[in-house]
Amino acid sequence: MTSELLDDYEEGDFTPAFTQSGATIGYSSRGGIYTKIGNMVYASGRLFTSSISGGSGVIKLDGLPFTPANTGISAHASVYLCSTFGGWSSTNCPKGGFINDNDTAIDMRTADSSDARDQTDTTITTFSDATVGLIFTATYRAA
């Protein structure tokens, strides 16, 4: 049966980036790898900044290797985020996120306070320092 054939497999690299309106961000290290099997994408990466100036509004993690599908159910595809060193405050440290349909950026979220039991539903709007680190993994359905 044709539905049992694996006819779409790809591995590669991509370059993730933090984005924020008006911000200039320098990196000491960043990179990502992905595997795409059929329409499922498994991506992981890391970013370490060396300088951050300006900027306002929501901070996102951009540059996913494929545009997510517009299915209505892929919105809020789960993302795991792990902050790795300084620069994030106790109430502004990325703890999770989601990917919206047709958007190659991850909407990063944090808890409402430094209490780990709080909901992870607050947007990230400040870096708090010029050197931040983040490791992530994301699984989502490609368009």
Side-chain angles (χ1 to χ4, degrees):
M1 295 175 52
T2 59
S3 63
E4 295 176 357
L5 297 176
L6 178 61
D7 61 355
D8 185 7
Y9 179 89
E10 181 180 336
E11 293 179 339
D13 300 324
F14 67 101
T15 306
F18 290 119
T19 59
Q20 184 183 38
S21 179
T24 301
I25 303 169
Y27 298 92
S28 58
S29 176
R30 64 181 168 151
I33 58 172
Y34 71 86
T35 300
K36 181 176 178 280
I37 303 171
N39 64 357
M40 292 303 299
V41 179
Y42 307 91
S44 61
R46 56 158 175 52
L47 299 92
F48 298 100
T49 64
S50 58
S51 63
I52 301 168
S53 63
S56 63
V58 175
I59 300 168
K60 293 186 176 189
L61 178 58
D62 205 351
L64 292 173
F66 295 93
T67 300
N70 187 14
T71 63
I73 60 171
S74 68
H76 301 95
S78 112
V79 177
Y80 172 73
L81 303 170
C82 176
S83 57
T84 57
F85 67 89
W88 303 108
S89 72
S90 63
T91 57
N92 210 31
C93 182
K95 304 220 185 316
F98 60 87
I99 305 167
N100 285 312
D101 288 347
N102 294 321
D103 188 359
T104 59
I106 296 170
D107 284 332
M108 298 188 302
R109 294 289 192 255
T110 192
D112 293 334
S113 74
S114 59
D115 187 336
R117 299 168 294 178
D118 278 349
Q119 295 181 37
T120 307
D121 62 358
T122 303
T123 59
I124 309 293
T125 57
T126 58
F127 287 104
S128 301
D129 193 50
T131 55
V132 297
L134 188 72
I135 296 173
F136 68 93
T137 184
T139 302
Y140 63 98
R141 192 176 202 174

